[in-house]
Amino acid sequence: MGACQQYKARLCTLILPLLCCFTALATDNDAPGKPGDRIVKRIEHPLNPADTTVKGRVTGQDGNPIGGVSVLEKGTSNGTTTDSIGNYTLNVKDASATLVVSNVGFTPREIAIGSGSTSIILESVSASLDDVVVVGYGTQKRSELTNAVVQTTGAELKKSNTLSLSNSLSGRLAGLFVTQTSAAPGFDDAQILVRGPKTFRNSSALIVIDGVANADPDGLNRLDPNEIESISVLKDASAAIYGAQSAGGVILVTTKRGKSGKPSFDFSTTLSWQAPTMKIRSADAFEYMKVLNDRRALENQTPDFPETLIQAFRDGTRRPEDWYNALVDPPAKQQRYSLTMRGGSERVRYFVSLGAANQGGILRGDDKTSLKQYNVRSNIDVTVTKSLEVGV
């Protein structure tokens, strides 16, 4: 009996400390602010919590909601898209973040958050579909245009420094073949073909200036680009309105007209130099004489250049001449000056243009091969009644 009591006493001595340890651990885990509590919090929340929630709506200029718009936090990959009624919700790092809003057919925008709610209006980029294109004897909106028509503007043509307007069209209109066959001042006009030659005779395009066909015997060449509003090229069936003479296509030139408002003046000047893009390598005197003498030797005939003449060139008695350097002296200077004035009232509008241009040749000492050109153009539009307008 005494042994049994001693055994129980020893067992209690071992168990009681273990129970005290478990009780202490349980008490520490339940106490707030302890390490155990911090472990539980890390499990319940992400490592990088978003501090600011941004809600808003994306609409067009007409006030209608736009669905599927991309809303992205700038500089990150954090983003979302709008629902079918244009609403979006996005968690961002802080209130100083910037949203990048974009969608096909609309101008992208960057919006500084600044507050918890952001409503955004996107502007459509399809305004170019409302541009007016000159076709035949009228105009059409680009969005309604189904014919093969391409167009450029006078502002685009002014980027070229060539004095001949036909050369300025090179590479600016699809389907237009512009070929320059001469570089002589005043004769450097290009041949213009629409989609290549179409007949065995004259395949050049028909030039129509302000509604008048073949108005200028020089065609496009002597027009001042500062006077031009737009140039349209009619292809295939689009040109049929002008009949058989439009078999090679039609180029419609619309010059500038007056506008209501205070008089506005525009002065522009250009200065450029022309030079050959490359120099063709030619044979020198010795190579030339050798080739001709070799030909005569093959024909068993007397050489064109005797040995005494060749020796004279070798010892310097006679001097060979480089005729290219003797005759050609590039670069050649060319200049253009242009002054335009436009203005008027609601009833009377006017436009006046004055221009001068000159182009020199590249031949040395040549003061005859040059071009001096002067342009004068004016027009007046008078609105007589609501349904009657007169232009001169």
Side-chain angles (χ1 to χ4, degrees):
M1 192 68 181
C4 183
Q5 292 178 350
Q6 292 179 358
Y7 177 77
K8 289 181 179 179
R10 291 178 180 177
L11 184 61
C12 291
T13 304
L14 295 174
I15 292 175
L16 286 176
L18 292 175
L19 292 176
C20 293
C21 291
F22 285 123
T23 303
L25 289 175
T27 304
D28 290 342
N29 288 337
D30 293 337
K34 300 298 181 179
D37 182 58
R38 289 196 293 270
I39 294 174
V40 173
K41 287 184 178 180
R42 289 175 184 173
I43 293 174
E44 292 178 350
H45 298 280
L47 294 176
N48 295 312
D51 297 331
T52 303
T53 299
V54 181
K55 297 181 180 180
R57 193 179 189 214
V58 179
T59 61
Q61 293 173 295
D62 54 2
N64 294 325
I66 307 174
V69 178
S70 173
V71 181
L72 185 68
E73 183 181 358
K74 186 175 181 180
T76 70
S77 59
N78 179 33
T80 186
T81 57
T82 59
D83 57 21
S84 59
I85 57 175
N87 293 328
Y88 69 91
T89 300
L90 182 64
N91 295 327
V92 296
K93 293 180 179 180
D94 51 53
S96 63
T98 300
L99 299 182
V100 180
V101 184
S102 61
N103 195 28
V104 177
F106 296 88
T107 303
R109 292 191 60 186
E110 293 188 4
I111 306 296
I113 295 174
S115 62
S117 178
T118 304
S119 296
I120 303 169
I121 299 177
L122 292 182
E123 297 181 0
S124 173
V125 297
S126 59
S128 60
L129 296 178
D130 294 330
D131 291 348
V132 175
V133 179
V134 180
V135 286
Y137 292 107
T139 59
Q140 273 187 302
K141 288 185 177 180
R142 191 179 298 276
S143 58
E144 302 171 354
L145 188 63
T146 59
N147 298 331
V149 179
V150 291
Q151 183 175 2
T152 188
T153 61
E156 187 69 21
L157 296 175
K158 288 169 61 176
K159 297 178 181 178
S160 173
N161 292 328
T162 59
L163 294 189
S164 177
L165 185 65
S166 58
N167 292 320
S168 300
L169 295 176
S170 178
R172 300 184 186 277
L173 295 167
L176 201 67
F177 293 79
V178 180
T179 306
Q180 181 181 356
T181 57
S182 174
F187 297 93
D188 56 349
D189 309 331
Q191 182 187 27
I192 301 177
L193 300 177
V194 178
R195 289 183 175 171
K198 295 181 175 61
T199 67
F200 290 103
R201 302 181 66 184
N202 185 13
S203 294
S204 298
L206 174 67
I207 309 298
V208 180
I209 302 176
D210 288 336
V212 182
N214 298 317
D216 192 334
D218 289 323
L220 297 174
N221 303 307
R222 305 277 74 89
L223 292 179
D224 187 344
N226 296 280
E227 304 171 353
I228 295 176
E229 188 73 34
S230 66
I231 293 182
S232 300
V233 178
L234 308 185
K235 311 172 188 177
D236 306 332
S238 304
I241 190 173
Y242 290 97
Q245 60 181 343
S246 65
V250 177
I251 298 179
L252 301 179
V253 182
T254 302
T255 60
K256 293 181 179 179
R257 314 292 296 187
K259 290 184 178 181
S260 301
K262 295 181 179 180
S264 62
F265 296 86
D266 182 16
F267 177 76
S268 64
T269 178
T270 59
L271 173 63
S272 57
W273 283 266
Q274 286 183 311
T277 55
M278 63 176 293
K279 177 183 177 181
I280 300 176
R281 184 185 179 279
S282 59
D284 59 22
F286 298 102
E287 293 173 336
Y288 179 75
M289 291 186 291
K290 183 179 183 302
V291 169
L292 293 185
N293 285 348
D294 289 345
R295 185 194 67 174
R296 294 303 184 188
L298 293 174
E299 297 173 351
N300 294 323
Q301 295 182 7
T302 305
D304 291 332
F305 302 95
E307 186 62 30
T308 55
L309 179 60
I310 298 175
Q311 185 60 36
F313 279 99
R314 289 197 183 101
D315 58 23
T317 306
R318 300 192 64 171
R319 182 175 63 88
E321 186 65 69
D322 186 342
W323 290 107
Y324 183 90
N325 292 333
L327 297 177
V328 179
D329 184 28
K333 185 174 66 173
Q334 62 178 21
Q335 295 172 291
R336 183 190 291 278
Y337 305 93
S338 179
L339 175 64
T340 61
M341 179 181 66
R342 65 196 311 182
S345 61
E346 293 295 332
R347 296 182 60 87
V348 180
R349 298 166 299 280
Y350 58 86
F351 173 80
V352 180
S353 173
L354 303 174
N358 61 77
Q359 180 183 15
I362 61 173
L363 295 180
R364 192 181 299 274
D366 182 14
D367 57 352
K368 301 297 182 183
T369 307
S370 61
L371 169 68
K372 291 184 178 181
Q373 174 181 322
Y374 302 94
N375 295 77
V376 178
R377 181 178 295 274
S378 65
N379 54 64
I380 300 176
D381 297 318
V382 180
T383 302
V384 182
T385 63
K386 292 183 178 181
S387 57
L388 177 61
E389 185 172 311
V390 179
V392 180

